[in-house]
Amino acid sequence: MGQACGHALLCRSQPPSSEIRGQQVFLRPEESSALTRRQSTTLSDQLQDALLRLAAVVDAGSLRVALRDSVRELLPSTECVCVYMPEGYSRLLSEDPPHELPHEGKIRSVVDQLRRCQCVGLPASELPEKYRICLAAPLPAHRRAVVIPLLNQERDTAIAVLLVGCNPLSDHDELHLNVLEKHASVACSRVQALQTSYQRPPLSPSPIQSHNALLHLQVSDQDYCKLDRNILQLCGELFDLDAASLQLKVINYLQEQTHSQCCCLLLVSEDNHQLFCQVVGDKVLEEEISFPLMFGRFGQVVEKKKSITLQDISAEERRQLSSMLGCEISSMLCVPVASRATGQVVALACAFNKRAGQRHTEADEHAIQHCFCYTSTVLTSTLAFQKEQKLKVECQALLQVAKNLFTHLDDVSVLLQEIIVEARNLSDAEICSVFLLDRVSHELVAKVFDGGVVSDEEKEFRIPADQGIAGHVATTGQTLNIKDAYSHPLFYRGVDDSTGFKTRNILCFPIKDENNEVIGVAELVNKMNGPWFNRFDEDLATAFSIYCGISIAHSLLYKRVHEAQFRSHLANEMMMYHMKVSEEEVTKLLVTGIEPVKEIHPCFAEFTYTPRSLPDDTTPLCILSMFEDMGFINTYKIDMNTLARFCLMVKKGYRDPPYHNWMHAFSVSHFCYLLYKNLGLSNYLEEIEILALFVSCMCHDLDHRGTNNSFQVASQSVLAALYSSEGSVMERHHFAQAIAILNTHGCNIFDKFNRKDYTRMLDLIRDVILATDLAHHLRIFKDLQKMADDGYNRKNRNHRSMLLCLLMTSCDLSDQTKGWKTTRKIAELIYKEFFSQGDLEKAMGNRPSEMMDREKAYIPELQISFMEHIAMPIYKLLSELLPGATELYERVAANREQWTKVSHKFTIRGLPSNNSLDFLDQEYELLQSQGAFGSDDHCLNGCLDDAEGGRGQ
């Protein structure tokens, strides 16, 4: 971008080198498309696998492995991962190798801040010896140590810590780690909860002592000798891992001891809201029976821990029990069973119909309580194991669900249909509905139902996003479990009354994206295998909603990306249509044949010649003449029609800002030709490199908008969105436009190249165009100086690459090597462009830099600074490498001196009211008439104004 970029760099106050270094990223076109595919793969495969791996862990060991593998998968550059898990109140321990995180120090202080941090290394004294090589400070410039605390959101503390050695994190890595941390925290909390539930209770008194204390009875040990023998025999048989089989044995024992026709265990759910029964008498039920805890008097048994008999329940409750058991009840004894670990009631042991028509006695109650003093621990442990088995099955089901969901990302409607089916199957619900949140209309939209997809938009079901049960969940982001729909104030029963459907219970839960924003709501209606949805269903819904949120968000993103691609393709087609070169234009350009350069102007091949003096419509033919004179057409067998069409397309690809237009590109290309003719570039570079340099000069500012890189980023333009993460926004856009032209039918001047040369040519053009960002030039300036000091080696590929960059920069600034009138005119054009950008920045509410501000810019001072710090060092270095370039340095120095001499006449800020610096030429002509400057009028045409017949700008 030449002088514009140079001025922008000069106006910074000594920028840190990291600021420039961070922009040095170059991607080939195939690498760019590979990156897009790789990001898409990461979102749909790698991140998915990592989250699924975390969702499946149930113990600390597998959690450590899952965390380590997930980080390595998401950050391929990872060298090591050290996982610290909690032990006790404040200890954090790793197992491989065994090591405790110090309670004080840099790592602990970072952990206490509860946020991720990357640095250039950690204190070696705080690290295990195994990981010091990849984590201890100081690390190499391309490596970083990252401290990742995983948080317990409820307590706002770290429940695990990851130390990762990897490359510096990109924005893409940060995004993935944000998602991973949320799910890893949930997994850590789950494993911690499971570990707590399995902790062994403290030593307690003997079973008989506990039994006696519970009953407050004075019972001697001898009275239980027979019971002890029987219970020991029963305990010897309780080896089953299946809770139903274990209950069957205990129930048979109770039937024998109490002489009852039938016994059963009513298990209390974890949330203390339900009772459920799996075994009745000698039968294991195909589907467990469940009913509310407050059914009859059973709730009081759980609450007060006191037994009841048949006389304590009503006739209606008796009838319901008879229906449930399938037999008439004549007597009943219900005894609470308490956990020895917590003292909470975990089950109700019920005996029905004592033989011989008798009633149950206190001895029967003693026998039941005695039994469970020995067996309750085995029972609760087996139930917990069974729950874990069920959880494992559900996790596997969730994994399968996730895989099913992630295979339908290309169609939101099909994905929502899949979500409905999976949610209904997981929860055993009768009906499921899914609503998406329309933030524009603030409505919940249902387009997919159990019956299928509604294609007609008029039949979409829409409700306000703040009304009803679904609206409440969408607004609060909290799950709502309604056990009795008709008694809930938010439920509208009008639909049931009109359809005849009966809604018994509802589980409604939010679907959130990766940013924890609600994007939809799922509503499950009528639990099929229970009275209502329980706590397990809520947990399952929460886990399920995570996969739903990710899949829906990615599906919508996938849709937007496709739409953006279509829009981009359409816009590109439209742009190419307007840039299209007709056959008539190509024929007209070639009809007179290629004109020898001597016939264009006798001094056309001399450094003193100013190409801006040529009329605009003759410049494409001059480009062809330079191609011919440098031998490229014959050497690379370039088709003339293709070359002509390419030149005309490139010319049309330039907009018309004051400076960065086609005439600038033509001047830069002409200077490249001058370097070839006058400095013998063939002795320093390969022919293919010289061709790449010349084509890059033609294309280096394609589609320039008259604003610089900083403006693109500050205005958050489309170009910044595409390229800001890689740096050199405009330069990458110029290269992309050049590739677009080469890919246009009939414009590929390299179509005769073999695959190897074609790939190398595109790489060279990319590198050379990116070198026009003066930030890049300043990064490599020390290397260029060292190359000049050590001596240039043509066989050294790195030397040739650096020389190409230097030549491109010197071509870009070549207007400064011409006569004073050209330099002055160029300054006028540049500052017109600068001040236009400054006006835009002010309109945005930003403060432009001094050189962009027409009210503050003092042009002579800015020009002198630019020439002293940017232009003169470039041409000085060029003269050291190529001795024939000395005159170029001398001309730049002379122009710098002239700016100093005329500065006293410049008494204003910005440009004069007529936007012209012509008044400075009077001083120059006066000094020239006095012999202050040598005459070069015989070759110097200057920049002709429009009135003089030339384009001039």
Side-chain angles (χ1 to χ4, degrees), residues 171-193:
D171 291 345
H172 198 63
D173 298 334
E174 297 273 8
L175 177 63
H176 278 179
L177 286 179
N178 288 340
V179 179
L180 181 66
E181 286 177 21
K182 294 178 184 178
H183 293 272
S185 297
V186 173
C188 290
S189 298
R190 182 176 68 250
V191 170
Q192 198 173 53

PDB file of all heavy atoms in Angstrom, residues 171-193:
ATOM      1  N   ASP A 171      -7.598 -17.377  18.347  1.00  0.00           N
ATOM      2  CA  ASP A 171      -9.000 -17.102  18.691  1.00  0.00           C
ATOM      3  C   ASP A 171      -9.835 -18.370  18.572  1.00  0.00           C
ATOM      4  O   ASP A 171     -10.753 -18.615  19.345  1.00  0.00           O
ATOM      5  CB  ASP A 171      -9.574 -16.029  17.773  1.00  0.00           C
ATOM      6  CG  ASP A 171      -8.952 -14.661  18.038  1.00  0.00           C
ATOM      7  OD1 ASP A 171      -8.315 -14.479  19.087  1.00  0.00           O
ATOM      8  OD2 ASP A 171      -9.114 -13.780  17.184  1.00  0.00           O
ATOM      9  N   HIS A 172      -9.492 -19.195  17.574  1.00  0.00           N
ATOM     10  CA  HIS A 172     -10.196 -20.454  17.370  1.00  0.00           C
ATOM     11  C   HIS A 172      -9.994 -21.369  18.579  1.00  0.00           C
ATOM     12  O   HIS A 172     -10.938 -21.995  19.075  1.00  0.00           O
ATOM     13  CB  HIS A 172      -9.649 -21.102  16.099  1.00  0.00           C
ATOM     14  CG  HIS A 172     -10.544 -22.155  15.538  1.00  0.00           C
ATOM     15  ND1 HIS A 172     -11.822 -21.879  15.083  1.00  0.00           N
ATOM     16  CD2 HIS A 172     -10.358 -23.491  15.384  1.00  0.00           C
ATOM     17  CE1 HIS A 172     -12.357 -23.013  14.648  1.00  0.00           C
ATOM     18  NE2 HIS A 172     -11.505 -23.985  14.816  1.00  0.00           N
ATOM     19  N   ASP A 173      -8.729 -21.463  19.080  1.00  0.00           N
ATOM     20  CA  ASP A 173      -8.436 -22.280  20.263  1.00  0.00           C
ATOM     21  C   ASP A 173      -9.183 -21.759  21.479  1.00  0.00           C
ATOM     22  O   ASP A 173      -9.729 -22.535  22.273  1.00  0.00           O
ATOM     23  CB  ASP A 173      -6.922 -22.274  20.543  1.00  0.00           C
ATOM     24  CG  ASP A 173      -6.121 -22.888  19.404  1.00  0.00           C
ATOM     25  OD1 ASP A 173      -6.683 -23.722  18.685  1.00  0.00           O
ATOM     26  OD2 ASP A 173      -4.957 -22.514  19.231  1.00  0.00           O
ATOM     27  N   GLU A 174      -9.210 -20.429  21.656  1.00  0.00           N
ATOM     28  CA  GLU A 174      -9.892 -19.840  22.806  1.00  0.00           C
ATOM     29  C   GLU A 174     -11.370 -20.215  22.800  1.00  0.00           C
ATOM     30  O   GLU A 174     -11.955 -20.555  23.821  1.00  0.00           O
ATOM     31  CB  GLU A 174      -9.749 -18.305  22.788  1.00  0.00           C
ATOM     32  CG  GLU A 174      -8.312 -17.799  22.911  1.00  0.00           C
ATOM     33  CD  GLU A 174      -7.865 -17.640  24.363  1.00  0.00           C
ATOM     34  OE1 GLU A 174      -8.605 -18.066  25.259  1.00  0.00           O
ATOM     35  OE2 GLU A 174      -6.772 -17.080  24.578  1.00  0.00           O
ATOM     36  N   LEU A 175     -11.987 -20.168  21.613  1.00  0.00           N
ATOM     37  CA  LEU A 175     -13.399 -20.505  21.497  1.00  0.00           C
ATOM     38  C   LEU A 175     -13.650 -21.951  21.899  1.00  0.00           C
ATOM     39  O   LEU A 175     -14.575 -22.244  22.658  1.00  0.00           O
ATOM     40  CB  LEU A 175     -13.862 -20.277  20.054  1.00  0.00           C
ATOM     41  CG  LEU A 175     -15.312 -20.650  19.721  1.00  0.00           C
ATOM     42  CD1 LEU A 175     -16.277 -19.781  20.523  1.00  0.00           C
ATOM     43  CD2 LEU A 175     -15.579 -20.501  18.244  1.00  0.00           C
ATOM     44  N   HIS A 176     -12.804 -22.870  21.430  1.00  0.00           N
ATOM     45  CA  HIS A 176     -12.963 -24.276  21.774  1.00  0.00           C
ATOM     46  C   HIS A 176     -12.740 -24.518  23.263  1.00  0.00           C
ATOM     47  O   HIS A 176     -13.452 -25.299  23.892  1.00  0.00           O
ATOM     48  CB  HIS A 176     -11.994 -25.126  20.946  1.00  0.00           C
ATOM     49  CG  HIS A 176     -12.519 -25.399  19.580  1.00  0.00           C
ATOM     50  ND1 HIS A 176     -11.840 -26.131  18.631  1.00  0.00           N
ATOM     51  CD2 HIS A 176     -13.677 -25.025  18.983  1.00  0.00           C
ATOM     52  CE1 HIS A 176     -12.539 -26.200  17.542  1.00  0.00           C
ATOM     53  NE2 HIS A 176     -13.654 -25.534  17.715  1.00  0.00           N
ATOM     54  N   LEU A 177     -11.742 -23.850  23.840  1.00  0.00           N
ATOM     55  CA  LEU A 177     -11.472 -24.036  25.269  1.00  0.00           C
ATOM     56  C   LEU A 177     -12.620 -23.509  26.114  1.00  0.00           C
ATOM     57  O   LEU A 177     -12.931 -24.083  27.174  1.00  0.00           O
ATOM     58  CB  LEU A 177     -10.161 -23.340  25.651  1.00  0.00           C
ATOM     59  CG  LEU A 177      -8.884 -24.037  25.190  1.00  0.00           C
ATOM     60  CD1 LEU A 177      -7.657 -23.250  25.611  1.00  0.00           C
ATOM     61  CD2 LEU A 177      -8.795 -25.455  25.749  1.00  0.00           C
ATOM     62  N   ASN A 178     -13.269 -22.428  25.682  1.00  0.00           N
ATOM     63  CA  ASN A 178     -14.419 -21.914  26.442  1.00  0.00           C
ATOM     64  C   ASN A 178     -15.506 -22.980  26.550  1.00  0.00           C
ATOM     65  O   ASN A 178     -16.084 -23.213  27.617  1.00  0.00           O
ATOM     66  CB  ASN A 178     -14.991 -20.662  25.759  1.00  0.00           C
ATOM     67  CG  ASN A 178     -14.081 -19.464  25.905  1.00  0.00           C
ATOM     68  OD1 ASN A 178     -13.218 -19.438  26.791  1.00  0.00           O
ATOM     69  ND2 ASN A 178     -14.238 -18.478  25.053  1.00  0.00           N
ATOM     70  N   VAL A 179     -15.795 -23.645  25.429  1.00  0.00           N
ATOM     71  CA  VAL A 179     -16.821 -24.687  25.428  1.00  0.00           C
ATOM     72  C   VAL A 179     -16.357 -25.881  26.259  1.00  0.00           C
ATOM     73  O   VAL A 179     -17.101 -26.433  27.071  1.00  0.00           O
ATOM     74  CB  VAL A 179     -17.134 -25.132  23.988  1.00  0.00           C
ATOM     75  CG1 VAL A 179     -18.181 -26.236  23.998  1.00  0.00           C
ATOM     76  CG2 VAL A 179     -17.632 -23.953  23.170  1.00  0.00           C
ATOM     77  N   LEU A 180     -15.080 -26.283  26.065  1.00  0.00           N
ATOM     78  CA  LEU A 180     -14.559 -27.435  26.783  1.00  0.00           C
ATOM     79  C   LEU A 180     -14.586 -27.213  28.291  1.00  0.00           C
ATOM     80  O   LEU A 180     -14.937 -28.113  29.054  1.00  0.00           O
ATOM     81  CB  LEU A 180     -13.124 -27.732  26.317  1.00  0.00           C
ATOM     82  CG  LEU A 180     -12.445 -28.945  26.988  1.00  0.00           C
ATOM     83  CD1 LEU A 180     -13.165 -30.221  26.588  1.00  0.00           C
ATOM     84  CD2 LEU A 180     -10.980 -29.014  26.602  1.00  0.00           C
ATOM     85  N   GLU A 181     -14.226 -26.008  28.746  1.00  0.00           N
ATOM     86  CA  GLU A 181     -14.185 -25.737  30.188  1.00  0.00           C
ATOM     87  C   GLU A 181     -15.555 -25.912  30.815  1.00  0.00           C
ATOM     88  O   GLU A 181     -15.687 -26.466  31.910  1.00  0.00           O
ATOM     89  CB  GLU A 181     -13.667 -24.314  30.433  1.00  0.00           C
ATOM     90  CG  GLU A 181     -12.168 -24.170  30.188  1.00  0.00           C
ATOM     91  CD  GLU A 181     -11.715 -22.725  30.361  1.00  0.00           C
ATOM     92  OE1 GLU A 181     -12.428 -21.954  31.027  1.00  0.00           O
ATOM     93  OE2 GLU A 181     -10.646 -22.375  29.822  1.00  0.00           O
ATOM     94  N   LYS A 182     -16.605 -25.445  30.141  1.00  0.00           N
ATOM     95  CA  LYS A 182     -17.950 -25.578  30.703  1.00  0.00           C
ATOM     96  C   LYS A 182     -18.309 -27.042  30.912  1.00  0.00           C
ATOM     97  O   LYS A 182     -18.794 -27.436  31.975  1.00  0.00           O
ATOM     98  CB  LYS A 182     -18.976 -24.909  29.768  1.00  0.00           C
ATOM     99  CG  LYS A 182     -18.827 -23.393  29.661  1.00  0.00           C
ATOM    100  CD  LYS A 182     -19.849 -22.826  28.683  1.00  0.00           C
ATOM    101  CE  LYS A 182     -19.649 -21.325  28.506  1.00  0.00           C
ATOM    102  NZ  LYS A 182     -20.602 -20.763  27.522  1.00  0.00           N
ATOM    103  N   HIS A 183     -18.057 -27.869  29.890  1.00  0.00           N
ATOM    104  CA  HIS A 183     -18.424 -29.274  29.989  1.00  0.00           C
ATOM    105  C   HIS A 183     -17.497 -30.033  30.934  1.00  0.00           C
ATOM    106  O   HIS A 183     -17.931 -30.959  31.628  1.00  0.00           O
ATOM    107  CB  HIS A 183     -18.415 -29.891  28.588  1.00  0.00           C
ATOM    108  CG  HIS A 183     -19.493 -29.353  27.695  1.00  0.00           C
ATOM    109  ND1 HIS A 183     -20.756 -29.896  27.632  1.00  0.00           N
ATOM    110  CD2 HIS A 183     -19.517 -28.275  26.861  1.00  0.00           C
ATOM    111  CE1 HIS A 183     -21.493 -29.209  26.791  1.00  0.00           C
ATOM    112  NE2 HIS A 183     -20.771 -28.218  26.306  1.00  0.00           N
ATOM    113  N   ALA A 184     -16.232 -29.657  30.958  1.00  0.00           N
ATOM    114  CA  ALA A 184     -15.294 -30.298  31.884  1.00  0.00           C
ATOM    115  C   ALA A 184     -15.679 -29.987  33.327  1.00  0.00           C
ATOM    116  O   ALA A 184     -15.575 -30.858  34.213  1.00  0.00           O
ATOM    117  CB  ALA A 184     -13.868 -29.827  31.600  1.00  0.00           C
ATOM    118  N   SER A 185     -16.133 -28.770  33.596  1.00  0.00           N
ATOM    119  CA  SER A 185     -16.557 -28.414  34.950  1.00  0.00           C
ATOM    120  C   SER A 185     -17.749 -29.256  35.379  1.00  0.00           C
ATOM    121  O   SER A 185     -17.820 -29.737  36.515  1.00  0.00           O
ATOM    122  CB  SER A 185     -16.909 -26.928  35.021  1.00  0.00           C
ATOM    123  OG  SER A 185     -15.788 -26.137  34.746  1.00  0.00           O
ATOM    124  N   VAL A 186     -18.699 -29.450  34.443  1.00  0.00           N
ATOM    125  CA  VAL A 186     -19.860 -30.290  34.757  1.00  0.00           C
ATOM    126  C   VAL A 186     -19.419 -31.723  35.044  1.00  0.00           C
ATOM    127  O   VAL A 186     -19.879 -32.354  35.997  1.00  0.00           O
ATOM    128  CB  VAL A 186     -20.870 -30.249  33.590  1.00  0.00           C
ATOM    129  CG1 VAL A 186     -21.998 -31.252  33.827  1.00  0.00           C
ATOM    130  CG2 VAL A 186     -21.446 -28.857  33.435  1.00  0.00           C
ATOM    131  N   ALA A 187     -18.488 -32.247  34.228  1.00  0.00           N
ATOM    132  CA  ALA A 187     -18.002 -33.616  34.428  1.00  0.00           C
ATOM    133  C   ALA A 187     -17.286 -33.747  35.774  1.00  0.00           C
ATOM    134  O   ALA A 187     -17.476 -34.728  36.499  1.00  0.00           O
ATOM    135  CB  ALA A 187     -17.071 -34.017  33.284  1.00  0.00           C
ATOM    136  N   CYS A 188     -16.458 -32.755  36.137  1.00  0.00           N
ATOM    137  CA  CYS A 188     -15.757 -32.795  37.425  1.00  0.00           C
ATOM    138  C   CYS A 188     -16.753 -32.777  38.592  1.00  0.00           C
ATOM    139  O   CYS A 188     -16.601 -33.520  39.576  1.00  0.00           O
ATOM    140  CB  CYS A 188     -14.799 -31.606  37.547  1.00  0.00           C
ATOM    141  SG  CYS A 188     -13.366 -31.700  36.462  1.00  0.00           S
ATOM    142  N   SER A 189     -17.765 -31.928  38.473  1.00  0.00           N
ATOM    143  CA  SER A 189     -18.766 -31.853  39.538  1.00  0.00           C
ATOM    144  C   SER A 189     -19.506 -33.181  39.670  1.00  0.00           C
ATOM    145  O   SER A 189     -19.788 -33.651  40.779  1.00  0.00           O
ATOM    146  CB  SER A 189     -19.757 -30.726  39.248  1.00  0.00           C
ATOM    147  OG  SER A 189     -19.112 -29.482  39.210  1.00  0.00           O
ATOM    148  N   ARG A 190     -19.809 -33.801  38.520  1.00  0.00           N
ATOM    149  CA  ARG A 190     -20.517 -35.077  38.572  1.00  0.00           C
ATOM    150  C   ARG A 190     -19.667 -36.157  39.228  1.00  0.00           C
ATOM    151  O   ARG A 190     -20.142 -36.896  40.100  1.00  0.00           O
ATOM    152  CB  ARG A 190     -20.908 -35.504  37.152  1.00  0.00           C
ATOM    153  CG  ARG A 190     -21.700 -36.799  37.108  1.00  0.00           C
ATOM    154  CD  ARG A 190     -22.154 -37.161  35.714  1.00  0.00           C
ATOM    155  NE  ARG A 190     -21.043 -37.515  34.853  1.00  0.00           N
ATOM    156  CZ  ARG A 190     -20.616 -36.772  33.846  1.00  0.00           C
ATOM    157  NH1 ARG A 190     -21.203 -35.637  33.575  1.00  0.00           N
ATOM    158  NH2 ARG A 190     -19.587 -37.164  33.114  1.00  0.00           N
ATOM    159  N   VAL A 191     -18.406 -36.260  38.824  1.00  0.00           N
ATOM    160  CA  VAL A 191     -17.524 -37.283  39.409  1.00  0.00           C
ATOM    161  C   VAL A 191     -17.324 -37.029  40.891  1.00  0.00           C
ATOM    162  O   VAL A 191     -17.327 -37.952  41.705  1.00  0.00           O
ATOM    163  CB  VAL A 191     -16.162 -37.290  38.669  1.00  0.00           C
ATOM    164  CG1 VAL A 191     -15.160 -38.164  39.401  1.00  0.00           C
ATOM    165  CG2 VAL A 191     -16.347 -37.783  37.242  1.00  0.00           C
ATOM    166  N   GLN A 192     -17.183 -35.754  41.270  1.00  0.00           N
ATOM    167  CA  GLN A 192     -17.019 -35.414  42.688  1.00  0.00           C
ATOM    168  C   GLN A 192     -18.244 -35.835  43.486  1.00  0.00           C
ATOM    169  O   GLN A 192     -18.137 -36.376  44.596  1.00  0.00           O
ATOM    170  CB  GLN A 192     -16.773 -33.911  42.814  1.00  0.00           C
ATOM    171  CG  GLN A 192     -16.156 -33.492  44.147  1.00  0.00           C
ATOM    172  CD  GLN A 192     -15.783 -32.021  44.139  1.00  0.00           C
ATOM    173  OE1 GLN A 192     -16.604 -31.169  43.837  1.00  0.00           O
ATOM    174  NE2 GLN A 192     -14.542 -31.721  44.472  1.00  0.00           N
ATOM    175  N   ALA A 193     -19.435 -35.599  42.913  1.00  0.00           N
ATOM    176  CA  ALA A 193     -20.663 -35.988  43.603  1.00  0.00           C
ATOM    177  C   ALA A 193     -20.757 -37.500  43.758  1.00  0.00           C
ATOM    178  O   ALA A 193     -21.171 -38.011  44.809  1.00  0.00           O
ATOM    179  CB  ALA A 193     -21.875 -35.452  42.847  1.00  0.00           C
TER     180      ALA A 193
END
